[in-house]
């Protein structure tokens, strides 16, 4: 089955700096790579996703890149704000398979 | 605003008791996942259903856990007997397919004492 590794497990940045979270996956059949944000005490919610036919996707301060050859994808948050503080999860899957999550990254943005 | 509904939100039970958690997926979604989360990190997949059929429950301890979908509007996760190590937040999520957005419920916070 799919195995998703996520790094780092914790990340502390100063407000205004950029944050980068990286994930690797093992199953070359995976073609869907979402990122979820979970605030304290809340449910995980999708913030951005990318499919294997696209190398990069942006949505305001958030961007995701995908390298299919190397089987890794990354989340980039620019101009971080205190409200970006949360746990971020990457995941990988495809239509015929389950969605497998990485271990999560706790992002702390210091004012 | 369609949402995945989970009940109960909180459950405190004694070791050895049966626990049943329920999930109502979003109408029209045919993919349902059960995840367990401990210590605010790590979403561990327990079970995965498509069109009510269990496709993968390899992450679930079979001797005490069971997951079912009696109909398209209800998914259940049972633990019998419960143990303190089962204490966690259990999330249900639903979607159209595994390669589309998964919508999570609020979770059931289970404490086994």
């Amino acid at each position: 089955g799919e195995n998703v590794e996520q790094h780092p497990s914790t990340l502390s940045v100063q407000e205004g700096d950029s944050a980068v979270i990286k994930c690797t996956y093992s199953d070359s059949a995976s073609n869907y790579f979402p990122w979820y944000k979970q605030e304290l005490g809340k449910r995980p919610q999708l913030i951005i996703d990318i499919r294997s036919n696209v190398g990069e996707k942006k949505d305001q301060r958030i961007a995701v890149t995908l390298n299919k050859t190397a089987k890794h994808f990354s989340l980039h948050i620019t101009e971080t704000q205190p409200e970006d503080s949360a746990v971020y999860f990457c995941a990988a899957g495809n239509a015929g398979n389950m969605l497998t999550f990485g271990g999560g990254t706790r992002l702390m943005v210091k004012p | 605003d369609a949402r995945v509904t989970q009940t109960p939100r909180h459950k405190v039970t004694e070791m050895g008791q049966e626990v049943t958690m329920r999930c109502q997926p979003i109408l029209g979604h045919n993919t349902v996942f059960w995840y367990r989360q401990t210590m605010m990190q790590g979403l561990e997949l327990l079970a995965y259903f498509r069109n009510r059929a269990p496709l993968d429950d390899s992450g679930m301890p079979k001797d005490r856990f069971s997951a079912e979908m009696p109909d398209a509007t209800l998914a259940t996760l049972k633990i019998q007997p419960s143990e303190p190590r089962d204490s966690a937040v259990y999330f249900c999520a639903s979607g159209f397919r595994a390669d589309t957005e998964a919508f999570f419920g609020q979770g059931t916070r289970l404490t086994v004492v």
Side-chain angles (χ1 to χ4, degrees), chain B residues 48-88:
Chain B
Y48 163 47
F49 291 81
R50 192 193 314 155
N51 295 324
R52 295 175 54 201
L55 291 192
D56 193 305
D57 60 2
S58 58
M60 199 165 63
K62 301 291 192 305
D63 56 337
R64 299 185 300 108
F65 285 61
S66 62
E68 296 180 343
M69 279 200 74
D71 61 61
T73 65
L74 177 64
T76 63
L77 180 66
K78 291 186 180 181
I79 308 175
Q80 168 63 21
S82 58
E83 297 180 1
R85 59 179 167 151
D86 300 329
S87 297

Side-chain angles (χ1 to χ4, degrees), chain A:
Chain A
E2 176 65 275
N3 182 47
V4 179
E5 300 281 344
Q6 184 171 346
H7 300 280
S9 57
T10 59
L11 178 60
S12 181
V13 300
Q14 207 65 38
E15 181 178 359
D17 288 350
S18 295
V20 180
I21 303 170
K22 299 182 179 182
C23 290
T24 60
Y25 62 100
S26 61
D27 189 350
S28 57
S30 289
N31 58 14
Y32 177 62
F33 308 93
W35 287 86
Y36 285 77
K37 176 183 180 182
Q38 186 180 27
E39 296 176 350
L40 188 63
K42 302 286 185 62
R43 74 185 86 189
Q45 292 190 287
L46 181 75
I47 53 171
I48 194 168
D49 56 13
I50 191 169
R51 297 188 182 275
S52 58
N53 59 345
V54 176
E56 183 176 2
K57 185 176 179 181
K58 288 183 180 179
D59 183 2
Q60 300 182 343
R61 296 185 297 108
I62 293 173
V64 59
T65 58
L66 171 66
N67 184 326
K68 284 170 49 182
T69 303
K71 294 197 186 72
H72 65 71
F73 55 114
S74 302
L75 177 71
H76 304 253
I77 306 174
T78 58
E79 301 173 21
T80 53
Q81 301 167 2
E83 51 264 39
D84 294 329
S85 296
V87 178
Y88 291 81
F89 293 96
C90 63
N94 61 52
N97 214 341
M98 59 192 179
L99 196 59
T100 302
F101 282 83
T105 297
R106 182 180 300 279
L107 174 64
M108 293 170 283
V109 180
K110 295 180 286 187

